[in-house]
Amino acid sequence: MLVNELASEDREAIRKLQNDISSLYAAVAEDYKEEWKKECAKQTYTECPDIPDVVTQVEQGCKDLGILDQCQLIPVESDYYDWELQQRAFRVNAPSKEHMCKSVVMENTRCTHEDISDPNYSRYYCVITQYVKPVNTQKMLNFCRGLKNKEISKKYYNFRLADPEVSLQLTGYKKGGVCPVGMKQPIPIILAESITKLEPSVIYLGAGHIDWKLGIPVDTFIDSTKCFVADLD
């Protein structure tokens, strides 16, 4: 049974319990990190009989960055996205629903070129944000203009979600599985600043396939990808 199928008073009781559990995780953040390391060492995902090629692509991306031993690759149920966000967080052992994040490719439709080689003025960016905090495109515009010291006029910035086919070509991942690790093209990455304030400091992302998730420490992600960090809320 899904949470949204329960009576309202039962749902409210579960939400209160969720808040209590999240507070407990924050209080024992260091212990969580120690357990995290042990779980990473197990690499239980390798026991899955049929690992999709796109998940192997993420795995290789982690290897290339030298961080595979700090990450968790987690297979989930096929109806996972039918669950409420907090249920999904519990499933992957995330401390709270705030730790659940997504990767989206954003396009500057008014960019004067099609290139991604200049991270300070790229047509495309891979943006990492929390599910509970959607991207504020105005703040993203202001941040990206700042990368060029606001020398480029506002009229040459307009951010929106990239077409799914374009996103697939750039990343190699379909919707629901987009991952900033192991992308086909080196798209500049922007991480929402709010993510850096999470305790314990880990996040869970898509891992190439809609039925797989990637858990990664925030500091590890920032250090290995050299991503931008911006206020996008």
Side-chain angles (χ1 to χ4, degrees):
M1 177 179 287
L2 300 178
V3 171
N4 57 15
E5 296 173 344
L6 297 173
S8 59
E9 59 269 23
D10 292 331
R11 293 200 301 272
E12 183 59 29
I14 288 175
R15 289 192 180 95
K16 289 180 179 179
L17 177 60
Q18 291 167 351
N19 290 335
D20 290 342
I21 292 173
S22 296
S23 297
L24 178 60
Y25 269 120
V28 296
E30 291 305 315
D31 292 334
Y32 182 91
K33 291 176 183 177
E34 288 304 313
E35 289 302 316
W36 175 278
K37 293 176 183 177
K38 294 177 184 177
E39 197 62 33
C40 290
K42 294 178 184 177
Q43 294 193 345
T44 54
Y45 73 92
T46 58
E47 299 171 5
C48 294
D50 297 304
I51 300 177
D53 290 343
V54 283
V55 177
T56 301
Q57 181 179 328
V58 174
E59 179 188 37
Q60 185 60 52
C62 290
K63 289 179 180 177
D64 292 343
L65 293 173
I67 60 172
L68 183 60
D69 62 340
Q70 301 174 58
C71 298
Q72 295 181 24
L73 284 164
I74 307 165
V76 297
E77 290 74 10
S78 59
D79 63 346
Y80 175 84
Y81 278 105
D82 292 334
W83 307 355
E84 286 194 353
L85 183 59
Q86 185 63 65
Q87 276 186 282
R88 284 150 43 194
F90 282 150
R91 170 62 183 84
V92 296
N93 197 29
S96 73
K97 62 184 179 183
E98 285 74 23
H99 289 72
M100 305 298 287
C101 298
K102 60 182 176 180
S103 310
V104 294
V105 177
M106 301 291 290
E107 178 184 7
N108 178 3
T109 60
R110 295 179 184 169
C111 186
T112 56
H113 57 75
E114 300 290 327
D115 204 358
I116 60 171
S117 62
D118 180 3
N120 293 330
Y121 189 53
S122 174
R123 187 172 188 91
Y124 299 97
Y125 288 91
C126 181
V127 179
I128 317 302
T129 186
Q130 295 164 281
Y131 273 99
V132 297
K133 294 181 179 180
V135 176
N136 182 318
T137 53
Q138 184 59 51
K139 285 191 174 183
M140 183 172 174
L141 184 156
N142 293 338
F143 173 78
C144 290
R145 277 197 76 212
L147 295 175
K148 283 291 190 180
N149 298 316
K150 298 186 178 180
E151 296 171 357
I152 300 175
S153 171
K154 281 186 178 180
K155 69 180 181 180
Y156 295 116
Y157 291 89
N158 179 58
F159 287 102
R160 70 175 187 186
L161 283 174
D163 181 272
E165 283 302 314
V166 173
S167 177
L168 175 60
Q169 291 170 13
L170 291 169
T171 66
Y173 308 124
K174 293 182 179 179
K175 182 180 179 181
V178 176
C179 183
V181 177
M183 294 186 291
K184 292 292 187 182
Q185 300 295 327
I187 312 170
I189 301 169
I190 302 176
L191 181 81
E193 185 180 42
S194 57
I195 292 173
T196 66
K197 300 173 183 177
L198 292 170
E199 283 294 342
S201 56
V202 298
I203 53 174
Y204 291 81
L205 303 160
H209 189 280
I210 196 168
D211 294 340
W212 284 74
K213 306 302 157 197
L214 172 69
I216 183 170
V218 176
D219 289 347
T220 297
F221 181 81
I222 294 173
D223 292 344
S224 62
T225 64
K226 310 301 181 187
C227 65
F228 295 113
V229 177
D231 177 8
L232 300 178
D233 301 336

mmCIF file with all atom_site columns, all heavy atoms in Angstrom, residues 13-29:
data_model
loop_
_atom_site.group_PDB
_atom_site.id
_atom_site.type_symbol
_atom_site.label_atom_id
_atom_site.label_alt_id
_atom_site.label_comp_id
_atom_site.label_asym_id
_atom_site.label_entity_id
_atom_site.label_seq_id
_atom_site.pdbx_PDB_ins_code
_atom_site.Cartn_x
_atom_site.Cartn_y
_atom_site.Cartn_z
_atom_site.occupancy
_atom_site.B_iso_or_equiv
_atom_site.pdbx_formal_charge
_atom_site.auth_seq_id
_atom_site.auth_comp_id
_atom_site.auth_asym_id
_atom_site.auth_atom_id
_atom_site.pdbx_PDB_model_num
ATOM 1   N N   . ALA A 1 13 ? 0.396  11.191 10.714 1.00 0.00 ? 13 ALA A N   1
ATOM 2   C CA  . ALA A 1 13 ? 1.243  10.520 11.708 1.00 0.00 ? 13 ALA A CA  1
ATOM 3   C C   . ALA A 1 13 ? 2.564  10.086 11.086 1.00 0.00 ? 13 ALA A C   1
ATOM 4   O O   . ALA A 1 13 ? 3.629  10.206 11.703 1.00 0.00 ? 13 ALA A O   1
ATOM 5   C CB  . ALA A 1 13 ? 0.505  9.318  12.288 1.00 0.00 ? 13 ALA A CB  1
ATOM 6   N N   . ILE A 1 14 ? 2.497  9.608  9.850  1.00 0.00 ? 14 ILE A N   1
ATOM 7   C CA  . ILE A 1 14 ? 3.714  9.182  9.157  1.00 0.00 ? 14 ILE A CA  1
ATOM 8   C C   . ILE A 1 14 ? 4.613  10.378 8.872  1.00 0.00 ? 14 ILE A C   1
ATOM 9   O O   . ILE A 1 14 ? 5.836  10.303 9.018  1.00 0.00 ? 14 ILE A O   1
ATOM 10  C CB  . ILE A 1 14 ? 3.351  8.439  7.852  1.00 0.00 ? 14 ILE A CB  1
ATOM 11  C CG1 . ILE A 1 14 ? 2.770  7.061  8.186  1.00 0.00 ? 14 ILE A CG1 1
ATOM 12  C CG2 . ILE A 1 14 ? 4.574  8.290  6.953  1.00 0.00 ? 14 ILE A CG2 1
ATOM 13  C CD1 . ILE A 1 14 ? 2.274  6.291  6.989  1.00 0.00 ? 14 ILE A CD1 1
ATOM 14  N N   . ARG A 1 15 ? 4.022  11.503 8.487  1.00 0.00 ? 15 ARG A N   1
ATOM 15  C CA  . ARG A 1 15 ? 4.828  12.701 8.209  1.00 0.00 ? 15 ARG A CA  1
ATOM 16  C C   . ARG A 1 15 ? 5.551  13.183 9.467  1.00 0.00 ? 15 ARG A C   1
ATOM 17  O O   . ARG A 1 15 ? 6.708  13.608 9.406  1.00 0.00 ? 15 ARG A O   1
ATOM 18  C CB  . ARG A 1 15 ? 3.940  13.808 7.635  1.00 0.00 ? 15 ARG A CB  1
ATOM 19  C CG  . ARG A 1 15 ? 3.468  13.524 6.209  1.00 0.00 ? 15 ARG A CG  1
ATOM 20  C CD  . ARG A 1 15 ? 2.853  14.743 5.553  1.00 0.00 ? 15 ARG A CD  1
ATOM 21  N NE  . ARG A 1 15 ? 2.427  14.433 4.199  1.00 0.00 ? 15 ARG A NE  1
ATOM 22  C CZ  . ARG A 1 15 ? 1.199  14.068 3.858  1.00 0.00 ? 15 ARG A CZ  1
ATOM 23  N NH1 . ARG A 1 15 ? 0.265  13.971 4.793  1.00 0.00 ? 15 ARG A NH1 1
ATOM 24  N NH2 . ARG A 1 15 ? 0.888  13.795 2.605  1.00 0.00 ? 15 ARG A NH2 1
ATOM 25  N N   . LYS A 1 16 ? 4.872  13.119 10.605 1.00 0.00 ? 16 LYS A N   1
ATOM 26  C CA  . LYS A 1 16 ? 5.517  13.514 11.859 1.00 0.00 ? 16 LYS A CA  1
ATOM 27  C C   . LYS A 1 16 ? 6.670  12.572 12.182 1.00 0.00 ? 16 LYS A C   1
ATOM 28  O O   . LYS A 1 16 ? 7.739  13.006 12.626 1.00 0.00 ? 16 LYS A O   1
ATOM 29  C CB  . LYS A 1 16 ? 4.494  13.512 12.994 1.00 0.00 ? 16 LYS A CB  1
ATOM 30  C CG  . LYS A 1 16 ? 3.482  14.652 12.915 1.00 0.00 ? 16 LYS A CG  1
ATOM 31  C CD  . LYS A 1 16 ? 2.493  14.607 14.077 1.00 0.00 ? 16 LYS A CD  1
ATOM 32  C CE  . LYS A 1 16 ? 1.505  15.768 13.986 1.00 0.00 ? 16 LYS A CE  1
ATOM 33  N NZ  . LYS A 1 16 ? 0.509  15.724 15.093 1.00 0.00 ? 16 LYS A NZ  1
ATOM 34  N N   . LEU A 1 17 ? 6.444  11.291 11.940 1.00 0.00 ? 17 LEU A N   1
ATOM 35  C CA  . LEU A 1 17 ? 7.500  10.307 12.167 1.00 0.00 ? 17 LEU A CA  1
ATOM 36  C C   . LEU A 1 17 ? 8.674  10.564 11.230 1.00 0.00 ? 17 LEU A C   1
ATOM 37  O O   . LEU A 1 17 ? 9.842  10.474 11.637 1.00 0.00 ? 17 LEU A O   1
ATOM 38  C CB  . LEU A 1 17 ? 6.948  8.899  11.953 1.00 0.00 ? 17 LEU A CB  1
ATOM 39  C CG  . LEU A 1 17 ? 7.953  7.740  12.089 1.00 0.00 ? 17 LEU A CG  1
ATOM 40  C CD1 . LEU A 1 17 ? 8.562  7.727  13.489 1.00 0.00 ? 17 LEU A CD1 1
ATOM 41  C CD2 . LEU A 1 17 ? 7.271  6.409  11.780 1.00 0.00 ? 17 LEU A CD2 1
ATOM 42  N N   . GLN A 1 18 ? 8.376  10.917 9.988  1.00 0.00 ? 18 GLN A N   1
ATOM 43  C CA  . GLN A 1 18 ? 9.428  11.218 9.017  1.00 0.00 ? 18 GLN A CA  1
ATOM 44  C C   . GLN A 1 18 ? 10.290 12.386 9.492  1.00 0.00 ? 18 GLN A C   1
ATOM 45  O O   . GLN A 1 18 ? 11.521 12.353 9.386  1.00 0.00 ? 18 GLN A O   1
ATOM 46  C CB  . GLN A 1 18 ? 8.798  11.544 7.659  1.00 0.00 ? 18 GLN A CB  1
ATOM 47  C CG  . GLN A 1 18 ? 8.156  10.349 6.982  1.00 0.00 ? 18 GLN A CG  1
ATOM 48  C CD  . GLN A 1 18 ? 7.271  10.751 5.810  1.00 0.00 ? 18 GLN A CD  1
ATOM 49  O OE1 . GLN A 1 18 ? 7.002  11.932 5.589  1.00 0.00 ? 18 GLN A OE1 1
ATOM 50  N NE2 . GLN A 1 18 ? 6.817  9.771  5.051  1.00 0.00 ? 18 GLN A NE2 1
ATOM 51  N N   . ASN A 1 19 ? 9.641  13.414 10.018 1.00 0.00 ? 19 ASN A N   1
ATOM 52  C CA  . ASN A 1 19 ? 10.383 14.575 10.517 1.00 0.00 ? 19 ASN A CA  1
ATOM 53  C C   . ASN A 1 19 ? 11.276 14.196 11.689 1.00 0.00 ? 19 ASN A C   1
ATOM 54  O O   . ASN A 1 19 ? 12.415 14.661 11.800 1.00 0.00 ? 19 ASN A O   1
ATOM 55  C CB  . ASN A 1 19 ? 9.413  15.680 10.934 1.00 0.00 ? 19 ASN A CB  1
ATOM 56  C CG  . ASN A 1 19 ? 8.715  16.321 9.752  1.00 0.00 ? 19 ASN A CG  1
ATOM 57  O OD1 . ASN A 1 19 ? 9.238  16.303 8.643  1.00 0.00 ? 19 ASN A OD1 1
ATOM 58  N ND2 . ASN A 1 19 ? 7.539  16.881 9.982  1.00 0.00 ? 19 ASN A ND2 1
ATOM 59  N N   . ASP A 1 20 ? 10.753 13.333 12.565 1.00 0.00 ? 20 ASP A N   1
ATOM 60  C CA  . ASP A 1 20 ? 11.544 12.885 13.713 1.00 0.00 ? 20 ASP A CA  1
ATOM 61  C C   . ASP A 1 20 ? 12.762 12.089 13.249 1.00 0.00 ? 20 ASP A C   1
ATOM 62  O O   . ASP A 1 20 ? 13.870 12.256 13.781 1.00 0.00 ? 20 ASP A O   1
ATOM 63  C CB  . ASP A 1 20 ? 10.691 12.022 14.645 1.00 0.00 ? 20 ASP A CB  1
ATOM 64  C CG  . ASP A 1 20 ? 9.635  12.825 15.387 1.00 0.00 ? 20 ASP A CG  1
ATOM 65  O OD1 . ASP A 1 20 ? 9.780  14.060 15.452 1.00 0.00 ? 20 ASP A OD1 1
ATOM 66  O OD2 . ASP A 1 20 ? 8.669  12.220 15.894 1.00 0.00 ? 20 ASP A OD2 1
ATOM 67  N N   . ILE A 1 21 ? 12.553 11.237 12.262 1.00 0.00 ? 21 ILE A N   1
ATOM 68  C CA  . ILE A 1 21 ? 13.652 10.417 11.742 1.00 0.00 ? 21 ILE A CA  1
ATOM 69  C C   . ILE A 1 21 ? 14.708 11.297 11.079 1.00 0.00 ? 21 ILE A C   1
ATOM 70  O O   . ILE A 1 21 ? 15.916 11.105 11.274 1.00 0.00 ? 21 ILE A O   1
ATOM 71  C CB  . ILE A 1 21 ? 13.120 9.367  10.748 1.00 0.00 ? 21 ILE A CB  1
ATOM 72  C CG1 . ILE A 1 21 ? 12.271 8.326  11.492 1.00 0.00 ? 21 ILE A CG1 1
ATOM 73  C CG2 . ILE A 1 21 ? 14.271 8.683  10.015 1.00 0.00 ? 21 ILE A CG2 1
ATOM 74  C CD1 . ILE A 1 21 ? 11.560 7.346  10.586 1.00 0.00 ? 21 ILE A CD1 1
ATOM 75  N N   . SER A 1 22 ? 14.265 12.295 10.314 1.00 0.00 ? 22 SER A N   1
ATOM 76  C CA  . SER A 1 22 ? 15.205 13.200 9.649  1.00 0.00 ? 22 SER A CA  1
ATOM 77  C C   . SER A 1 22 ? 16.035 13.968 10.665 1.00 0.00 ? 22 SER A C   1
ATOM 78  O O   . SER A 1 22 ? 17.242 14.160 10.493 1.00 0.00 ? 22 SER A O   1
ATOM 79  C CB  . SER A 1 22 ? 14.441 14.179 8.746  1.00 0.00 ? 22 SER A CB  1
ATOM 80  O OG  . SER A 1 22 ? 13.785 13.483 7.708  1.00 0.00 ? 22 SER A OG  1
ATOM 81  N N   . SER A 1 23 ? 15.394 14.402 11.752 1.00 0.00 ? 23 SER A N   1
ATOM 82  C CA  . SER A 1 23 ? 16.111 15.118 12.810 1.00 0.00 ? 23 SER A CA  1
ATOM 83  C C   . SER A 1 23 ? 17.140 14.204 13.471 1.00 0.00 ? 23 SER A C   1
ATOM 84  O O   . SER A 1 23 ? 18.252 14.636 13.803 1.00 0.00 ? 23 SER A O   1
ATOM 85  C CB  . SER A 1 23 ? 15.124 15.640 13.862 1.00 0.00 ? 23 SER A CB  1
ATOM 86  O OG  . SER A 1 23 ? 14.230 16.573 13.292 1.00 0.00 ? 23 SER A OG  1
ATOM 87  N N   . LEU A 1 24 ? 16.778 12.949 13.639 1.00 0.00 ? 24 LEU A N   1
ATOM 88  C CA  . LEU A 1 24 ? 17.698 11.986 14.241 1.00 0.00 ? 24 LEU A CA  1
ATOM 89  C C   . LEU A 1 24 ? 18.915 11.769 13.348 1.00 0.00 ? 24 LEU A C   1
ATOM 90  O O   . LEU A 1 24 ? 20.052 11.734 13.824 1.00 0.00 ? 24 LEU A O   1
ATOM 91  C CB  . LEU A 1 24 ? 16.977 10.662 14.486 1.00 0.00 ? 24 LEU A CB  1
ATOM 92  C CG  . LEU A 1 24 ? 17.820 9.520  15.070 1.00 0.00 ? 24 LEU A CG  1
ATOM 93  C CD1 . LEU A 1 24 ? 18.388 9.923  16.428 1.00 0.00 ? 24 LEU A CD1 1
ATOM 94  C CD2 . LEU A 1 24 ? 16.991 8.252  15.192 1.00 0.00 ? 24 LEU A CD2 1
ATOM 95  N N   . TYR A 1 25 ? 18.681 11.645 12.044 1.00 0.00 ? 25 TYR A N   1
ATOM 96  C CA  . TYR A 1 25 ? 19.791 11.475 11.103 1.00 0.00 ? 25 TYR A CA  1
ATOM 97  C C   . TYR A 1 25 ? 20.767 12.647 11.202 1.00 0.00 ? 25 TYR A C   1
ATOM 98  O O   . TYR A 1 25 ? 21.984 12.470 11.181 1.00 0.00 ? 25 TYR A O   1
ATOM 99  C CB  . TYR A 1 25 ? 19.265 11.382 9.674  1.00 0.00 ? 25 TYR A CB  1
ATOM 100 C CG  . TYR A 1 25 ? 18.971 9.975  9.201  1.00 0.00 ? 25 TYR A CG  1
ATOM 101 C CD1 . TYR A 1 25 ? 17.691 9.611  8.800  1.00 0.00 ? 25 TYR A CD1 1
ATOM 102 C CD2 . TYR A 1 25 ? 19.982 9.022  9.115  1.00 0.00 ? 25 TYR A CD2 1
ATOM 103 C CE1 . TYR A 1 25 ? 17.419 8.330  8.341  1.00 0.00 ? 25 TYR A CE1 1
ATOM 104 C CE2 . TYR A 1 25 ? 19.723 7.739  8.659  1.00 0.00 ? 25 TYR A CE2 1
ATOM 105 C CZ  . TYR A 1 25 ? 18.440 7.400  8.271  1.00 0.00 ? 25 TYR A CZ  1
ATOM 106 O OH  . TYR A 1 25 ? 18.180 6.138  7.816  1.00 0.00 ? 25 TYR A OH  1
ATOM 107 N N   . ALA A 1 26 ? 20.231 13.861 11.284 1.00 0.00 ? 26 ALA A N   1
ATOM 108 C CA  . ALA A 1 26 ? 21.089 15.044 11.374 1.00 0.00 ? 26 ALA A CA  1
ATOM 109 C C   . ALA A 1 26 ? 21.929 15.014 12.641 1.00 0.00 ? 26 ALA A C   1
ATOM 110 O O   . ALA A 1 26 ? 23.089 15.438 12.654 1.00 0.00 ? 26 ALA A O   1
ATOM 111 C CB  . ALA A 1 26 ? 20.242 16.313 11.325 1.00 0.00 ? 26 ALA A CB  1
ATOM 112 N N   . ALA A 1 27 ? 21.346 14.490 13.714 1.00 0.00 ? 27 ALA A N   1
ATOM 113 C CA  . ALA A 1 27 ? 22.050 14.445 15.000 1.00 0.00 ? 27 ALA A CA  1
ATOM 114 C C   . ALA A 1 27 ? 23.166 13.407 15.010 1.00 0.00 ? 27 ALA A C   1
ATOM 115 O O   . ALA A 1 27 ? 24.123 13.523 15.777 1.00 0.00 ? 27 ALA A O   1
ATOM 116 C CB  . ALA A 1 27 ? 21.057 14.162 16.123 1.00 0.00 ? 27 ALA A CB  1
ATOM 117 N N   . VAL A 1 28 ? 23.036 12.397 14.174 1.00 0.00 ? 28 VAL A N   1
ATOM 118 C CA  . VAL A 1 28 ? 24.047 11.324 14.150 1.00 0.00 ? 28 VAL A CA  1
ATOM 119 C C   . VAL A 1 28 ? 24.753 11.298 12.794 1.00 0.00 ? 28 VAL A C   1
ATOM 120 O O   . VAL A 1 28 ? 25.076 10.241 12.265 1.00 0.00 ? 28 VAL A O   1
ATOM 121 C CB  . VAL A 1 28 ? 23.407 9.952  14.460 1.00 0.00 ? 28 VAL A CB  1
ATOM 122 C CG1 . VAL A 1 28 ? 22.860 9.938  15.877 1.00 0.00 ? 28 VAL A CG1 1
ATOM 123 C CG2 . VAL A 1 28 ? 22.303 9.608  13.456 1.00 0.00 ? 28 VAL A CG2 1
ATOM 124 N N   . ALA A 1 29 ? 24.998 12.479 12.245 1.00 0.00 ? 29 ALA A N   1
ATOM 125 C CA  . ALA A 1 29 ? 25.577 12.593 10.905 1.00 0.00 ? 29 ALA A CA  1
ATOM 126 C C   . ALA A 1 29 ? 26.901 11.848 10.770 1.00 0.00 ? 29 ALA A C   1
ATOM 127 O O   . ALA A 1 29 ? 27.156 11.182 9.760  1.00 0.00 ? 29 ALA A O   1
ATOM 128 C CB  . ALA A 1 29 ? 25.766 14.065 10.538 1.00 0.00 ? 29 ALA A CB  1
#
